[in-house]
């Protein structure tokens, strides 16, 4: 059993769950954070992530990442960092696995379409929707809505990117039901989950971009962090093909970023003088992060990826098609609520903004493939880019 640092989250000191659970609902020798992780893994929303966009929309290739595989990779990085820093690995893993559950089909293109279509109803935000899914939409239990996760898990999901000064309606509703102290920083476990997400997609999107032919190694040499890593792996493995070395580059770069993150975080914790998780929340600053040099290099990498992969003409064409699908679906369901499936149809509110939010909940839960299928059934043919 690993020894936790004083500033790690302790399941024995959890602030508990919104709904009281009787002893008969506690199965097996798991602590509160382990049960949270398992509830996420067994949820319908988590399973749907296998057919939701990470970078490439409804990908034909079996080797491209989707939201599910991305979340697993984030959890692997997060657990490594948490273990090294003496944090609670189970809470970290729960946060990593759940952090993208609120994403709609087609990634950020789908989110932009939902946000625009529901503007008058308060808009849509995937992070707020994660809390909505986990506290309201998932309903595996007989006596309450949601997964009834601990305060620490909900707090970490709400604030893993830092304090929330102006929450959207979905996050505000979750906070009103179970106050999450949105103005403070979250636990170190939540902060680790946020940076693990960055490390995972920074590097694995390179791998997928190369595989798809949207990026080349020559292009990537414009990024100092990547160029330095490439020089190191080619010197270490002379004569090995570029294809094999490209994957070694990604692995090596993850290690470099994780090593920097751990060293910088240890230094920040020591300098801050924190001695408990309450001190972490009261510190007023993020204690988990890259060194200044790595932070700037990571930003350079992100700028490169936006210019050359995320905004690649082929990606923008796919995003336009995705926006069209989501916008068409929400307009169609608004015009005729009887087209919703049973259950969703019976629960459809008569008045706004609840009506539009209910329809958005249904569409946000769709996988890429299901959204395309429903569009073709309800609206008609759509020309999709190659590989969509």
């Amino acid at each position: 059993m690993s020894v936790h640092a004083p500033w790690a989250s302790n399941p024995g000191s959890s602030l508990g769950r919104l709904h009281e659970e009787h002893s008969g609902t506690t199965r097996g020798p798991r602590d509160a954070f382990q049960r949270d992780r398992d509830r996420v893994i067994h949820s319908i929303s988590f399973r749907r992530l296998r057919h939701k966009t990470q970078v490439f929309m409804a990908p034909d290739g079996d080797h491209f990442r989707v939201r599910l595989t991305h979340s697993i990779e984030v959890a692997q990085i997060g657990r490594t960092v948490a273990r090294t820093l003496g944090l609670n690995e189970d809470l970290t893993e729960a946060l990593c696995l759940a952090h993208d559950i609120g994403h709609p089909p087609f990634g950020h293109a789908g989110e932009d379409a939902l946000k625009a279509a529901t503007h008058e109803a308060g808009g849509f935000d995937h992070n707020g929707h994660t809390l909505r899914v986990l506290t309201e939409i998932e309903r595996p239990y007989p006596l309450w809505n949601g997964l009834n996760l601990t305060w620490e898990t909900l707090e970490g999901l709400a604030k893993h990117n830092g304090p929330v000064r102006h929450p959207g309606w979905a996050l505000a509703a979750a906070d009103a039901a179970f106050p999450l102290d949105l103005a403070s920083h979250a636990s170190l476990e939540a902060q680790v989950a946020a940076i693990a997400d960055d490390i995972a997609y920074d590097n694995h999107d390179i791998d997928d971009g190369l595989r798809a032919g949207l990026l080349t190694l020559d292009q990537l040499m414009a990024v100092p962090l990547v160029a330095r890593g490439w020089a190191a792996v080619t010197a270490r493995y002379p004569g090995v093909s570029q294809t094999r070395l490209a994957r070694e580059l990604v692995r090596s770069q993850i290690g470099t970023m994780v090593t920097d993150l751990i060293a910088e975080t240890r230094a920040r914790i020591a300098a801050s003088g924190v001695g408990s998780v309450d001190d972490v929340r009261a510190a007023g600053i993020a204690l988990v992060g890259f060194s200044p040099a790595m932070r700037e290099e990571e930003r350079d990498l992100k700028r490169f990826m936006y210019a050359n992969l995320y905004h690649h003409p082929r990606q923008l064409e796919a995003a336009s098609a995705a926006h069209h699908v989501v916008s068409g679906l929400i307009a169609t369901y608004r015009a005729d609520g009887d087209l919703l499936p049973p259950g969703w149809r019976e629960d459809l509110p008569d008045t706004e903004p609840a009506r539009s939010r209910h329809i958005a909940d249904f569409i946000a839960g769709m996988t890429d493939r299901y959204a395309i299928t429903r569009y073709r059934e309800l609206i008609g043919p759509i020309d999709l880019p190659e590989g969509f």
Side-chain angles (χ1 to χ4, degrees):
M1 181 180 295
S2 59
V3 178
H4 291 152
W7 42 81
S9 296
N10 181 354
S13 302
S14 171
L15 295 183
R17 306 178 188 276
L18 177 60
H19 304 286
E20 181 181 357
E21 297 186 5
H22 299 293
S23 58
T25 63
T26 301
R27 301 175 176 89
R30 298 167 296 166
D31 66 35
F33 299 155
Q34 290 170 335
R35 291 203 300 275
D36 280 3
R37 175 202 58 209
D38 296 347
R39 290 177 185 194
V40 169
I41 290 172
H42 288 283
S43 69
I44 292 173
S45 299
F46 184 71
R47 293 198 293 275
R48 286 192 189 127
L49 295 179
R50 65 178 172 166
H51 292 306
K52 288 195 175 187
T53 294
Q54 175 58 25
V55 175
F56 299 104
M57 299 179 189
D60 289 332
D62 292 332
H63 298 161
F64 292 111
R65 288 165 177 86
V66 291
R67 286 283 167 192
L68 179 63
T69 56
H70 165 70
S71 297
I72 293 170
E73 289 170 341
V74 174
Q76 176 264 319
I77 294 170
R79 284 195 72 114
T80 297
V81 175
R83 178 177 299 178
T84 305
L85 294 173
L87 305 179
N88 188 286
E89 293 179 52
D90 298 311
L91 176 58
T92 304
E93 184 177 26
L95 294 167
C96 291
L97 292 173
H99 81 283
D100 270 354
I101 272 181
H103 269 285
F106 313 121
H108 293 289
E111 179 168 2
D112 289 344
L114 277 176
K115 187 180 298 184
T118 60
H119 176 72
E120 293 184 358
F124 180 90
D125 167 67
H126 77 264
N127 195 52
H129 193 66
T130 293
L131 273 291
R132 182 164 170 80
V133 168
L134 296 175
T135 61
E136 181 63 31
I137 295 174
E138 281 282 342
R139 298 180 180 180
Y141 300 109
L143 298 181
W144 55 74
N145 293 343
L147 300 185
N148 203 29
L149 302 177
T150 62
W151 185 90
E152 289 76 12
T153 296
L154 296 176
E155 180 230 18
L157 291 168
K159 304 187 302 188
H160 62 277
N161 288 320
V164 182
R165 307 297 182 191
H166 305 288
W169 70 268
L171 181 52
D175 180 60
F178 198 8
L180 300 171
D181 189 19
L182 295 180
S184 71
H185 283 272
S187 65
L188 292 176
E189 288 83 1
Q191 296 180 40
V192 166
I195 305 296
D197 183 28
D198 286 342
I199 293 173
Y201 77 73
D202 281 344
N203 292 287
H204 294 145
D205 290 358
I206 290 176
D207 188 25
D208 281 355
L210 290 170
R211 185 183 297 278
L214 272 61
L215 297 177
T216 67
L217 283 167
D218 286 343
Q219 282 179 297
L220 284 160
M221 293 308 106
V223 182
L225 176 65
V226 180
R228 192 169 63 252
W230 183 248
V233 298
T234 53
R236 193 179 309 134
Y237 301 104
V240 176
S241 71
Q242 286 194 345
T243 300
R244 297 190 72 167
L245 286 184
R247 297 190 69 185
E248 177 63 21
L249 167 69
V250 170
R251 293 174 59 247
S252 176
Q253 194 161 277
I254 290 172
T256 297
M257 295 173 81
V258 166
T259 299
D260 179 274
L261 174 67
I262 290 170
E264 175 67 16
T265 300
R266 280 176 167 158
R268 292 187 190 183
I269 291 172
S272 70
V274 297
S276 69
V277 68
D278 290 334
D279 291 343
V280 169
R281 293 191 176 97
I285 58 171
L287 297 176
V288 178
F290 295 124
S291 67
M294 178 59 74
R295 182 172 66 248
E296 192 53 44
E297 289 199 309
E298 194 260 350
R299 287 173 178 169
D300 285 342
L301 174 57
K302 273 188 169 62
R303 285 190 284 267
F304 171 90
M305 295 295 282
Y306 272 95
N308 294 280
L309 180 61
Y310 308 136
H311 292 165
H312 188 283
R314 203 169 96 189
Q315 290 290 84
L316 294 178
E317 183 184 9
S320 177
H323 198 286
H324 188 70
V325 169
V326 172
S327 298
L329 285 173
I330 198 166
T332 298
Y333 288 125
R334 271 178 169 166
D336 186 356
D338 288 339
L339 295 174
L340 289 164
W344 286 95
R345 182 170 62 241
E346 283 77 5
D347 292 340
L348 180 64
D350 294 326
T351 59
E352 295 291 351
R355 182 181 178 88
S356 289
R357 291 173 178 177
H358 182 80
I359 293 170
D361 287 342
F362 174 59
I363 293 173
M366 292 180 174
T367 63
D368 295 7
R369 296 174 184 183
Y370 183 69
I372 293 169
T373 298
R374 294 299 289 163
Y375 184 95
R376 286 172 170 159
E377 290 174 350
L378 298 175
I379 301 171
I382 181 172
D383 292 328
L384 299 176
E386 182 182 356
F388 201 112

